[in-house]
Amino acid sequence: MRFKLPDKVMYVIKTIKGQGFDCYLAGGTIRDLILGDEPKDWDLATNIHRKELSKLFQNQLSIKSDYHVSKLIFDDTELQIAEFRNEGGYKDGRHPDFIETGVTLEEDAKRRDFTVNAIYYDPIKSKIFDHVDGMIDIKKKQIRTIGEPSTRFSEDHLRILRAIRLAGKLNFKIEKKTFSGIVSTSSLTKKIAGERITSEISSMLLSKNTFHTIELLAKSKILHLLFSRDLSLPEFNEKILKDFKHTKKIFQSIFTTSLPVLWAIFLRSLYTNHNDRKGSSKISPDSEQICDEISNLLKLRLKFNNTKKNHILAIFQNQDAITNSNRKESKIWKRTLRKPFFKESLEFYGIMRTSNRKDLEIFDFWQEKLANTTPSEFNPKKLIKGNDLIKLGFKEGPELHKILNVIEEEQLENKIKNKEDAIEFIVRKFKKSIN
């Protein structure tokens, strides 16, 4: 088996091997190459010590000392170079208590999580090294742990989500014993840090097989374990799991790469399946309780910062304006266009609700306005400020704000186009209020 590698990757491997050490492509890199995919990362495994490695690449090396992993950067090519190691302990359910270097390639393979991630490749000899039958599992298109599943998941709880995320990414099934291990240890996912849960689910949502991963989360009851504490979801049962499948068409039709839109669809699908009446056309949480639940989930459990949290909430909050805004009055629809994250809100609307003629007409209206209205048209530069009104003789107070709003409406209706027109309009319309 032979793979064509970038020259810079081959240079690093040849340089390390030239010093008498072993060096292999490893992990997801060789797995993706075997599957015919372009690797996103270049992972190398070697028995060279970090000190020796730093001498070979003095100006390009960045050491991650905690895990005996070095980062090597050549222009736009980044390589992760890990020493052969063994590890164990995992008292905190995430990080190993000890790391032992100076081990064999086989020992390094057996400390990894899944068989498909424990294949090595020597590009000089064009030879595969597989101590855990990872090649067999690739042919079977299945994810299988190395060793006893429940033990490996108990060591590092994040492996539970990684198994599901990897199955979705590769469109693989999860081997029966491994899935049983996921189910038996699923409660451990409640101990995973919110940031890590967010990262893993975000990767699942960006996968080409999003529904596959969500279905696995549901079947393993992890979906319920992760979200029922914060969201008003009933206890999962077979009927709910069956009903959940109607979201499959939605996820299979998604072509967006916008993570906030994907999160909005994912969160909304939980309520669509479990809380809505059959045939309901509602697509966004329409009560303060639900919005508060989602807000708290995003901030307190999943550790979204305020900017990212508000981005997702705005997508929900804008749905009413998209549906019910007066589309005949320019001043109304133009103000709607400038709502925060309106473009993604409309994208969400288009994915979730264009199954009937009325919804499609609404969607087409906003699409046309969004495409053919410039920012200066729906958010024009202010012609008049409060100080200008005071100079004209108006008193400070709430009326100033009212007048400024009226002027903006006239601008949005294209009835006022410059400051002179604005002053003339004010004097004529509000002359009784001038001192």
Side-chain angles (χ1 to χ4, degrees):
M1 189 172 286
R2 182 180 294 275
F3 303 101
K4 182 174 176 56
L5 306 182
D7 292 340
K8 293 171 184 176
V9 175
M10 286 300 299
Y11 171 76
V12 172
I13 293 172
K14 287 179 179 179
T15 299
I16 294 172
K17 290 177 74 70
Q19 299 298 309
F21 297 97
D22 296 326
C23 189
Y24 306 92
L25 288 180
T29 299
I30 183 58
R31 180 201 70 216
D32 289 346
L33 286 170
I34 292 169
L35 290 169
D37 298 326
E38 183 70 24
K40 292 184 177 180
D41 305 293
W42 293 99
D43 299 322
L44 305 183
T46 179
N47 57 355
I48 190 173
H49 192 275
R50 287 171 297 162
K51 291 182 179 179
E52 294 296 322
L53 188 65
S54 64
K55 292 177 183 178
L56 294 178
F57 307 100
Q58 293 183 17
N59 299 323
Q60 295 106 339
L61 201 63
S62 173
I63 301 291
K64 296 180 180 179
S65 58
D66 289 345
Y67 300 103
H68 293 266
V69 178
S70 304
K71 182 168 70 175
L72 183 62
I73 299 176
F74 274 119
D75 299 327
D76 58 345
T77 302
E78 179 179 313
L79 300 92
Q80 300 282 342
I81 305 176
E83 287 184 67
F84 295 167
R85 65 186 188 272
N86 191 11
E87 55 191 38
Y90 299 94
K91 288 181 181 178
D92 66 354
R94 177 72 185 96
H95 305 99
D97 296 334
F98 72 85
I99 295 176
E100 175 190 9
T101 57
V103 302
T104 65
L105 180 66
E106 184 173 357
E107 289 173 305
D108 185 74
K110 289 183 177 179
R111 60 95 187 165
R112 292 177 180 261
D113 49 9
F114 308 110
T115 60
V116 296
N117 290 337
I119 301 168
Y120 302 80
Y121 175 69
D122 183 342
I124 307 300
K125 297 180 180 180
S126 299
K127 185 176 180 181
I128 291 285
F129 294 85
D130 179 11
H131 297 284
V132 293
D133 294 331
M135 291 294 289
I136 292 175
D137 288 326
I138 284 180
K139 290 179 181 178
K140 290 183 176 180
K141 294 188 175 183
Q142 69 178 13
I143 303 300
R144 179 170 62 89
T145 57
I146 299 169
E148 177 60 34
S150 58
T151 300
R152 302 313 305 273
F153 293 135
S154 296
E155 289 174 345
D156 184 350
H157 310 334
L158 192 60
R159 287 173 180 158
I160 299 170
L161 295 183
R162 282 180 173 167
I164 292 173
R165 189 245 301 164
L166 193 57
K169 175 184 176 180
L170 304 179
N171 198 21
F172 280 17
K173 63 183 179 181
I174 297 179
E175 180 259 344
K176 186 176 180 180
K177 189 176 180 181
T178 298
F179 189 74
S180 295
I182 289 175
V183 173
S184 67
T185 59
S186 59
S187 62
L188 296 176
T189 57
K190 293 189 290 186
K191 299 180 180 181
I192 301 174
E195 296 89 344
R196 300 305 304 169
I197 292 172
T198 298
S199 177
E200 290 296 323
I201 292 183
S202 293
S203 296
M204 294 177 195
L205 294 176
L206 290 167
S207 166
K208 294 179 181 178
N209 304 292
T210 304
F211 180 78
H212 180 40
T213 59
I214 294 175
E215 188 177 33
L216 288 172
L217 287 174
K219 284 182 175 179
S220 61
K221 299 188 179 180
I222 290 172
L223 199 63
H224 178 253
L225 288 165
L226 291 181
F227 295 104
S228 63
R229 187 179 70 179
D230 301 281
L231 303 180
S232 300
L233 304 178
E235 185 175 350
F236 270 69
N237 55 45
E238 288 301 316
K239 181 181 182 302
I240 287 175
L241 186 58
K242 183 178 180 180
D243 290 345
F244 194 79
K245 290 186 177 181
H246 86 263
T247 61
K248 185 173 184 178
K249 291 182 180 179
I250 292 174
F251 283 104
Q252 287 182 330
S253 67
I254 292 174
F255 294 100
T256 183
T257 56
S258 169
L259 199 50
V261 172
L262 289 167
W263 268 100
I265 294 169
F266 171 62
L267 292 171
R268 183 61 197 124
S269 70
L270 299 182
Y271 283 106
T272 299
N273 285 284
H274 307 317
N275 287 12
D276 289 348
R277 297 186 306 274
K278 187 174 182 181
S280 172
S281 62
K282 294 178 180 178
I283 59 168
S284 62
D286 56 354
S287 74
E288 289 186 12
Q289 176 192 348
I290 295 177
C291 282
D292 286 345
E293 285 180 5
I294 290 178
S295 178
N296 289 334
L297 171 72
L298 293 173
K299 184 175 182 178
L300 302 178
R301 180 67 179 104
L302 299 177
K303 305 301 181 183
F304 278 76
N305 61 35
N306 283 333
T307 299
K308 292 180 179 178
K309 179 198 73 173
N310 292 335
H311 195 160
I312 295 171
L313 291 176
I315 291 173
F316 291 133
Q317 292 160 353
N318 289 340
Q319 297 306 307
D320 184 63
I322 291 173
T323 305
N324 299 317
S325 288
N326 186 329
R327 295 184 294 279
K328 294 181 179 180
E329 292 190 52
S330 297
K331 64 184 179 184
I332 302 298
W333 64 256
K334 285 182 180 179
R335 278 179 170 164
T336 302
L337 281 182
R338 69 189 191 205
K339 286 183 175 293
F341 311 111
F342 181 81
K343 184 177 180 181
E344 286 162 297
S345 301
L346 183 60
E347 184 177 8
F348 174 83
Y349 183 96
I351 292 170
M352 300 292 287
R353 187 175 175 174
T354 52
S355 58
N356 61 62
R357 183 175 177 180
K358 181 181 177 181
D359 291 337
L360 187 58
E361 286 175 355
I362 292 173
F363 179 74
D364 289 342
F365 170 86
W366 291 114
Q367 279 279 74
E368 189 274 328
K369 294 301 182 186
L370 197 60
N372 297 308
T373 310
T374 64
S376 62
E377 289 180 89
F378 61 75
N379 196 17
K381 182 179 179 181
K382 295 185 182 299
L383 299 176
I384 295 290
K385 298 180 180 179
N387 289 338
D388 296 316
L389 296 178
I390 292 172
K391 289 178 183 179
L392 289 172
F394 292 91
K395 293 180 180 180
E396 290 190 31
E399 189 174 18
L400 292 187
H401 183 69
K402 175 184 175 183
I403 294 171
L404 293 174
N405 276 340
V406 172
I407 292 300
E408 184 186 54
E409 288 179 357
E410 294 295 303
Q411 280 184 266
L412 294 173
E413 295 286 354
N414 294 320
K415 294 177 180 179
I416 291 178
K417 297 183 179 180
N418 54 57
K419 188 171 184 177
E420 290 74 21
D421 290 345
I423 292 174
E424 181 183 342
F425 175 85
I426 291 167
V427 172
R428 184 176 71 251
K429 182 82 172 177
F430 300 98
K431 60 182 178 181
K432 291 182 181 181
S433 300
I434 300 175
N435 292 333

